[in-house]
Amino acid sequence: MREVQFDGLVGPTHNYGGLSPGNVASTLHGGQVSNPRAAAREGLAKMRFVQGLGVAQAVLPPHDRPHLPTLRRLGFTGSDEQVIAAAGEGDGFALRICSSASAMWTANAATVAPSRDASDGRVHLTPANLQQMFHRAIEPQTTTRVLRAIFADEARFAVHDPLPGGGQLADEGAANHTRLETSAGAAHVFAWGRCAWGAFAGPARYPARQTREASQTLARLHRLDPARCVFPHQHPEGIDAGAFHTDVMAVGTGRFFMFHELAFVDEGQLLADLRRLLGDELVTVRASSHELPAEDAVAAYPFNSQVLALPDGSMVILAPEDAREDAAARAFLERVVAGGGPVRAVHYIDVRQSMHNGGGPACLRLRVPLEASEIAALSGRVLLDRALYDALCAWVDRHYRDRLTPSDLADPAVAREGMTALDELTKLLGLGAVYDFQGAP
Ligand code: SUG
């Protein structure tokens, strides 16, 4: 089994809309000028780097934005041009919440279980409903179509509908899920920030996004052994410091898990459960607030790194450039490498365009553990090789602007350019019709 990294291609409307309260970077950079072309190129460079390490890398397409069907549902009428112009009036908020390129953060696209952990022997994917933020709640329909186009073989893959139930089953996808594995077996860590039913200690300043009930439903839907699932509570102080998803303060894969002391409320219980399920092979590294203040963890994102298992069995961390520049974050990552565990090196990568919206390397990828036969059964041309990388770079250079402000979204040319680009992309990736403007069902 190999963990395939499915990265989201950054969409042509990548902009700083200031749309995510509780996501410190999004609020801080709201209204600034973005560079969609540079953002897409940074993402592609990261994918190329990962593939160069010998790790399987794949791509997921961006979504069509501004999303005209949603704008029409909000009551804007007339031609596409009229809809966009009316939604852009005043403070342009309606247009902004329908124009984010947020589908690029594919750690929030879905939650995934490998076939070897599911009792029916299939790979399970549930697209996240992303109920908590309007601009993200319009992603699941297209995400479902895209995943069904790629994971089309129903004998091997089950792509479920997003969870029902509105805010009570609010689900943010794999950003709150970690699969660990040793020779003793696998363990699934499903973290949550609030309960739909029942009392809990919640954050005071910022919203908690994932519900415990959503996490429990995913474990059941994916046919996991309940005895191998744990459901820790995200620390409310961590959320209030800006850890809106678990992956802002914790990351792990295989036999390695690192976390900040403000990631979970009861880390003692979590570690005891993991030790019981995974035995002594599991290596954990904890950062205290003294060693790594929460502000540094949130600003520099050392935990929002990719932990990648290389073909020789060793691991590397792919961290954002910002973590190299932050003394405390860098010292922590250096301690991880020096500690004698499976992680042999830290590589730093510049994904600043995404970071300014609160999305680090780990947000930009969805991990899908697949057997070789399952990789061979994927539909479309989504596995990255040199030729696809070159084709995607040329596609970005042909279609993307190098400057975009939230107010530019009112220009109907932005929507037209996006549709032309995405139509071409679906042909390049061999996906068929996945967008509303292509008449997808
Ligand atoms: O949902 N930012 C995203 C960042 C998602 C990061 N993902 C993970 N941690 N896995 C969010 O808050 C900002 C968009 C804006 O403000 O324009 C945004 O949606």
Side-chain angles (χ1 to χ4, degrees):
M1 190 171 80
R2 299 178 73 186
E3 198 184 75
V4 184
Q5 315 291 314
F6 278 81
D7 276 48
L9 275 168
V10 174
T13 60
H14 160 65
N15 76 98
Y16 299 122
L19 301 179
S20 283
N23 170 342
V24 176
S26 156
T27 304
L28 194 67
H29 296 97
Q32 292 189 2
V33 182
S34 64
N35 183 336
R37 191 189 301 160
R41 285 299 220 124
E42 284 175 3
L44 279 162
K46 179 171 88 63
M47 295 184 223
R48 180 88 184 117
F49 184 82
V50 168
Q51 191 224 348
L53 293 171
V55 175
Q57 177 70 57
V59 300
L60 292 173
H63 291 190
D64 48 328
R65 298 288 183 268
H67 195 239
L68 287 154
T70 301
L71 287 170
R72 291 182 192 283
R73 281 177 71 187
L74 297 183
F76 299 104
T77 55
S79 66
D80 291 353
E81 282 73 12
Q82 287 167 327
V83 165
I84 290 166
E89 274 171 22
D91 65 0
F93 186 67
L95 186 56
R96 276 210 312 287
I97 57 175
C98 292
S99 299
S100 175
S102 52
M104 66 202 266
W105 299 297
T106 52
N108 308 115
T111 307
V112 182
S115 54
R116 63 170 63 173
D117 296 351
S119 63
D120 67 350
R122 293 195 295 168
V123 178
H124 288 255
L125 301 102
T126 299
N129 60 29
L130 293 165
Q131 286 289 324
Q132 190 64 34
M133 303 277 160
F134 185 100
H135 69 290
R136 306 222 57 182
I138 59 175
E139 295 174 35
Q141 199 184 19
T142 303
T143 300
T144 306
R145 287 189 201 128
V146 167
L147 294 179
R148 286 192 176 142
I150 296 170
F151 299 91
D153 180 349
E154 290 180 17
R156 298 174 195 275
F157 308 119
V159 179
H160 300 278
D161 289 333
L163 298 186
Q168 293 188 320
L169 289 196
D171 171 23
E172 297 275 321
N176 294 312
H177 170 248
T178 307
R179 179 183 183 274
L180 301 170
E181 186 177 26
T182 64
S183 57
H188 290 264
V189 181
F190 287 96
W192 51 272
R194 63 188 171 93
C195 293
W197 299 290
F200 70 103
R205 292 170 75 193
Y206 293 145
R209 300 199 193 182
Q210 179 96 15
T211 67
R212 183 179 62 184
E213 291 77 2
S215 298
Q216 290 167 336
T217 306
L218 291 167
R220 184 166 54 242
L221 200 56
H222 291 185
R223 309 209 185 187
L224 300 174
D225 178 354
R228 306 207 71 89
C229 296
V230 292
F231 297 93
H233 180 185
Q234 283 172 269
H235 206 306
E237 278 178 49
I239 295 176
D240 275 339
F244 52 98
H245 290 135
T246 309
D247 66 6
V248 175
M249 289 217 178
V251 64
T253 191
R255 65 187 184 97
F256 177 76
F257 188 49
M258 66 181 197
F259 58 93
H260 190 272
E261 71 166 300
L262 290 183
F264 307 104
V265 170
D266 193 349
E267 78 182 26
Q269 184 63 53
L270 174 62
L271 291 180
D273 287 342
L274 292 178
R275 193 62 66 198
R276 178 173 49 75
L277 291 168
L278 301 171
D280 290 337
E281 278 170 45
L282 178 70
V283 174
T284 63
V285 184
R286 171 186 189 270
S288 68
S289 297
H290 176 71
E291 174 185 18
L292 179 61
E295 306 82 68
D296 296 65
V298 169
Y301 266 30
F303 293 99
N304 202 263
S305 293
Q306 290 182 253
V307 182
L308 298 164
L310 303 188
D312 70 0
S314 70
M315 291 183 178
V316 297
I317 287 179
L318 185 57
E321 182 61 30
D322 314 61
R324 190 212 300 265
E325 291 165 9
D326 181 289
R330 182 174 178 171
F332 169 71
L333 291 173
E334 283 171 1
R335 176 166 80 79
V336 171
V337 175
V343 178
R344 300 287 161 75
V346 181
H347 302 289
Y348 295 93
I349 193 117
D350 185 354
V351 287
R352 238 175 277 263
Q353 285 285 326
S354 170
M355 283 287 287
H356 286 178
N357 257 337
C363 300
L364 286 161
R365 59 88 177 103
L366 177 66
R367 295 176 288 186
V368 186
L370 296 172
E371 308 291 341
S373 59
E374 293 159 350
I375 294 179
L378 295 173
S379 302
R381 182 189 176 201
V382 293
L383 287 169
L384 196 76
D385 55 18
R386 183 71 215 210
L388 182 57
Y389 171 78
D390 288 342
L392 289 170
C393 288
W395 172 80
V396 167
D397 293 348
R398 256 196 322 278
H399 294 287
Y400 280 50
R401 297 187 178 203
D402 60 4
R403 197 193 134 83
L404 195 68
T405 63
S407 53
D408 291 336
L409 298 166
D411 176 1
V414 170
R416 271 198 303 276
E417 288 162 18
M419 288 189 231
T420 307
L422 296 191
D423 202 37
E424 196 179 310
L425 180 68
T426 45
K427 293 188 182 91
L428 185 61
L429 299 180
L431 291 180
V434 292
Y435 301 114
D436 296 283
F437 73 83
Q438 294 175 316

